[in-house]
Amino acid sequence: MRMLVTGGAGFIGSNFVHYMLREHPEDIIINADSLTYAGNLENLRAVEQEPNYQFVRVDITDREALRPLFEQEIDVVVNFAAESHVDRSILEPDVFVRTNILGTQTLLDLAKEFKVRKFVQVSTDEVYGTLGDTGLFSETTPLAANSPYSASKAGADLLVRAYHETFGLPVNITRCSNNYGPYQFPEKLIPLMIQNALADKQLPVYGDGLNVRDWLYVEDHCKAIDLVIREGATGEVYNVGGNNERNNLQVVRTILQELGKPESLITYVTDRPGHDRRYAIDASKIRTQLGWQPKYNYESGIVETIRWYLSNQAWMEQVKSGGYRDYYEMQYGERLGS
Ligand code: NAD
Ligand code: TDX
């Protein structure tokens, strides 16, 4: 199978590339990523020489630059490429609309033209909006996005649906809850708090710290996407989540305990505008219909993740200093004449 993976240099995308090369060495992975601030080829250094792996620097809104990739007879497109941070979407919505909506539409057009066998859109539980103290998001929960980020993801989901209904494009959409694990950009809750705690800096907790997220180890998300690629019924949406609801304070306290740092570092700051209170996923469809099961439990997964960041301080320093961005030039600049 020849697979075009977009956004493969980001957090989940790079974990997915590692997962697929390990689990399906017979497949060919083409990683198409424009390397925004969130794209980091250091994440993929260990696999860059693999004969069945190829990296191409390309923006998913650039139709003509993408075309030669589709001419290589792509079987499956998995679209991870996105602007993914809610706080940034509040400051700068434009780029979210451009990449998440127009970029997805560009890929859909090419997938249709080149008759790919499957298009998998990696979406998020945030498209459903927010929950109160009870209830779960199912695949039939109405879309009610609250941030420019989630609105752009919801817009993309509707386009994916429309290309199926109107043009018969074979699609699937996955909607996963919050992921944690290695290679997450340190703007997101868990790596940000780990970094601040290690440096004895304040930990900025939004609002009352009681917003709830349903945490899933990134590899379990990758496993779900792999299953959907191979066995997902055409046109279907699959929710993915591990029933690990924790409020933000609980997450932050676990980090402090594991690092032996005092709770006095916790600092309550002004809330995120439009801050969704609670996400929780009903994943019974993918569990019963495709037999998906998460492998990691939250208690051990979060500790493993904290230890990963501890033993990969060089990675973190490069990300924080922006040094990782030089890597592309060093590795590819001369070869590509850029
Ligand atoms: P990320 O921000 O870490 O990575 C995004 C990647 O996309 C980066 O490598 C970036 O360079 C690339 N990219 C951005 N704009 C691009 C463009 N115009 N053209 C080509 N590449 C571009 O994001 P992530 O956390 O790995 O999320 C990946 C996907 O999964 C996103 O679609 C996100 O909505 C979805 N998702 C994330 C989570 C989560 O908890 N992180 C949960 C559910 C769904
Ligand atoms: O400094 C912070 N302080 C804080 O209290 C940050 C960065 C976050 N938070 C809170 C906000 C949220 O309630 O922690 C929670 C998690 O925040 P993020 O890590 O920004 O994730 P979230 O907004 O839940 O969105 C994530 O999950 C769904 C991903 O970033 C999305 O890409 C994915 O779709």
Side-chain angles (χ1 to χ4, degrees), residues 77-81 100 104 107-108 119-124 152-153 156-157 160 171-175:
V77 176
V78 190
N79 183 25
F80 290 95
N100 299 1
T104 301
L107 290 170
L108 287 165
F119 186 102
V120 177
Q121 173 71 359
V122 181
S123 187
T124 167
S152 67
K153 292 295 289 185
D157 283 14
V160 173
V171 305
N172 284 121
I173 297 173
T174 61
R175 294 189 181 133

Side-chain angles (χ1 to χ4, degrees), residues 9-12 33-34 36 39 59-60 80 82 84 99 123 149 153 179:
F11 163 47
I12 306 175
D33 194 303
S34 65
T36 67
D59 190 308
I60 60 162
F80 290 95
S84 69
T99 288
S123 187
Y149 161 67
K153 292 295 289 185
N179 286 208

Side-chain angles (χ1 to χ4, degrees), residues 78-134:
V78 190
N79 183 25
F80 290 95
E83 288 292 335
S84 69
H85 192 39
V86 173
D87 292 326
R88 286 180 189 257
S89 81
I90 297 166
L91 299 172
E92 198 188 356
D94 311 38
V95 64
F96 285 73
V97 172
R98 197 181 75 84
T99 288
N100 299 1
I101 299 183
L102 294 177
T104 301
Q105 189 247 331
T106 305
L107 290 170
L108 287 165
D109 265 350
L110 288 162
K112 169 174 154 274
E113 182 183 338
F114 286 89
K115 299 186 174 51
V116 302
R117 290 198 347 239
K118 182 162 281 188
F119 186 102
V120 177
Q121 173 71 359
V122 181
S123 187
T124 167
D125 60 356
E126 299 201 15
V127 298
Y128 297 122
T130 187
L131 291 165
D133 289 341
T134 57

Side-chain angles (χ1 to χ4, degrees), residues 19 45 51 67 104 127 163 178 210 236:
Y19 178 89
R45 216 188 253 252
R67 185 173 289 282
T104 301
V127 298
Y163 271 66
N178 287 57
L210 299 180
E236 292 297 310

